[in-house]
Amino acid sequence: MGDHFVAHASLLLSSFAVLTSIASHCGIRIQRAKRMKTIDLRSDTVSHPTAEMREAMANAEVGDDVYHDDPTVNQLEADAAAIFGKEAAVFVTSGTQGNLCALLAHCQRGESIIIGDASHIFRYEQGGMAQLGGIIPHTLPVQSDATMRLCDLEAAINPDDEHKPVTRLVALENTHNMAGGVPISAEYTAQVAEIARRNNLILHIDGARIFNAAAAFKVDVQELAAGADSVTFCLSKGLCAPAGSILVGDRSFIRRARRARKVLGGSLRQAGVLAAAGMIALHKMRHRLVDDHAHAQLLAEGLSEIPGLVIKSQNTNFIFFTLADQVAMPLDDFVNRLRRDYNVFMSPYSGERGVIRLRTHYWIDRAAIAKVISAVSAILS
Ligand SMILES: *Cc1c(COP(=O)(O)O)cnc(C)c1O
């Protein structure tokens, strides 16, 4: 009876293995075919790795990165540090982890940071700084140009007063996500850095899309990072890597950030397979972000000519739009029809009711933009 069961079970298992291998094979094919047909504008985070990245990942030299033994990770970190003009870098699993590692490495429990009330770190990272680091956010209003007023900033710095938490750090975000992909200039960053230096504060930049800002201003990213003690940026999103972000700063800071990464469970072993895609993101893909911006502009222009559609803003690779009051169609119906009838993916923006946010990326080309414009115009006509 027992033997019988084992025989049946192993037969079942081996046929299951054959089936899953066929399915996964087909899955890859389906996935690739779908990539050709779907126009996904919900975010730049949906961007798949390129064929070149997949090949580099397959061929990556690897080692145990916790032992500092992974040559591909080491190279990626060294290159990132050089590109930002900083001493060192650490590869982290995500932008959220990079920001949290930075704040944990810079601040003690009970210390306070000054940060925009619409910042990703404050709004979309589960308050990790407070939840895990005991760090207190002192928020300031973010203006439509993505900056905080310098007078607000100066006024928010606590004096040496036993009633108040010690102000340790100020954080900027570039490009600014909730402001709509607005890039902040090197000049503004330098002004904030000067205030920080004068008051003994650390400056951290959440630069998830800082290469988009560099592309928008046609400046070297070093200019945008000058004066910052640390910067996080994403290799995913517009740069197309499947996962991974990088945190840059000086050597002793990066050593502390690596400790933080460990306690957050973010130290990886043969991470070279990811870093190999990251190398292409860093060295090649960042130079083509201007195309995403041109495509976003083209799309916004095309959409703005459709009666019933109102463009709210277009910056870098972001577009925000609404449907005019005279359009009777609910936003959800509009989104569902685009998906069902045209394979165009959009989603209502969680940050503001009645608004749709689009982001262009590598897989959105001119042909895709023409299709989107004609699909939207057909639905609204
Ligand atoms: C996406 C994003 C992050 C976080 O990146 P994840 O990799 O999704 O954790 C941080 N800041 C900004 C501004 C972002 O847009």
Side-chain angles (χ1 to χ4, degrees):
M1 174 73 181
D3 283 355
H4 232 83
F5 176 75
V6 170
H8 274 293
S10 75
L11 197 75
L12 257 174
L13 275 177
S14 65
S15 37
F16 181 69
V18 171
L19 278 177
T20 36
S21 104
I22 293 169
S24 80
H25 199 73
C26 295
I28 287 166
R29 279 163 191 274
I30 291 162
Q31 203 52 27
R32 288 212 176 128
K34 212 164 100 185
R35 160 56 60 205
M36 304 300 293
K37 282 193 294 162
T38 301
I39 300 174
D40 197 341
L41 290 158
R42 290 171 300 168
S43 179
D44 49 7
T45 59
V46 304
S47 59
H48 290 196
T50 64
E52 186 186 5
M53 284 178 174
R54 288 175 188 265
E55 196 181 325
M57 292 171 79
N59 297 322
E61 260 193 84
V62 296
D64 188 331
D65 182 48
V66 181
Y67 293 171
H68 298 258
D69 268 358
D70 190 301
T72 313
V73 172
N74 292 344
Q75 189 68 53
L76 177 65
E77 289 174 346
D79 291 359
I83 285 169
F84 279 80
K86 306 293 180 200
E87 286 177 7
V90 60
F91 180 71
V92 290
T93 58
S94 66
T96 300
Q97 189 176 68
N99 286 328
L100 187 52
C101 285
L103 297 184
L104 292 176
H106 283 313
C107 306
Q108 299 296 315
R109 299 187 72 82
E111 292 182 339
S112 154
I113 72 167
I114 300 171
I115 187 160
D117 59 0
S119 65
H120 194 279
I121 292 178
F122 180 63
R123 292 280 190 104
Y124 292 111
E125 300 182 11
Q126 242 197 69
M129 71 173 109
Q131 196 175 162
L132 302 174
I135 299 161
I136 302 136
H138 182 147
T139 60
L140 295 179
V142 173
Q143 315 299 300
S144 59
D145 68 354
T147 66
M148 299 177 280
R149 280 195 207 92
L150 297 177
C151 55
D152 289 351
L153 176 56
E154 298 240 28
I157 301 167
N158 286 337
D160 183 6
D161 174 336
E162 70 179 51
H163 297 87
K164 300 185 172 178
V166 170
T167 308
R168 180 62 65 202
L169 177 146
V170 53
L172 295 177
E173 183 172 314
N174 200 8
T175 61
H176 201 288
N177 190 330
M178 280 196 85
V182 175
I184 56 175
S185 67
E187 290 71 28
Y188 174 77
T189 306
Q191 287 175 306
V192 172
E194 199 277 317
I195 293 171
R197 199 165 41 241
R198 200 158 18 87
N199 291 280
N200 253 324
L201 300 185
I202 292 158
L203 173 59
H204 173 70
I205 299 177
D206 174 1
R209 294 186 184 80
I210 199 165
F211 287 118
N212 291 89
F217 289 124
K218 298 186 174 64
V219 298
D220 195 295
V221 77
Q222 279 196 28
E223 292 183 42
L224 300 175
D229 298 282
S230 55
V231 184
T232 311
F233 70 94
C234 292
L235 297 161
S236 56
K237 303 186 173 168
L239 299 185
C240 273
S245 290
I246 293 190
L247 175 59
V248 299
D250 72 27
R251 263 184 215 95
S252 73
F253 161 73
I254 292 296
R255 208 172 306 120
R256 283 176 280 127
R258 286 184 76 96
R259 287 187 66 82
R261 184 185 69 165
K262 185 68 184 168
V263 78
L264 297 175
S267 300
L268 302 174
R269 301 297 179 180
Q270 286 72 32
V273 287
L274 291 173
M279 287 290 277
I280 294 164
L282 184 64
H283 289 294
K284 183 170 180 181
M285 303 301 274
R286 78 179 152 107
H287 298 298
R288 57 153 305 286
L289 292 173
V290 284
D291 297 344
D292 294 345
H293 300 179
H295 290 158
Q297 199 179 345
L298 198 67
L299 180 54
E301 280 164 12
L303 292 176
S304 73
E305 283 165 18
I306 299 171
L309 192 149
V310 182
I311 299 288
K312 284 173 58 94
S313 70
Q314 186 269 310
N315 296 287
T316 58
N317 66 325
F318 284 52
I319 298 170
F320 284 112
F321 74 84
T322 57
L323 298 183
D325 292 339
Q326 75 264 23
V327 175
M329 191 183 308
L331 212 57
D332 284 337
D333 293 359
F334 172 76
V335 164
N336 291 340
R337 282 192 58 187
L338 271 174
R339 182 182 282 238
R340 191 191 61 212
D341 300 340
Y342 299 94
N343 238 334
V344 172
F345 286 45
M346 296 185 183
S347 52
Y349 177 48
S350 67
E352 192 180 347
R353 258 178 76 92
V355 172
I356 290 183
R357 183 201 62 205
L358 309 180
R359 289 188 183 130
T360 55
H361 53 82
Y362 177 80
W363 299 97
I364 304 297
D365 57 13
R366 282 176 177 261
I369 286 163
K371 278 186 201 157
V372 174
I373 293 167
S374 79
V376 171
S377 124
I379 288 176
L380 292 181
S381 68

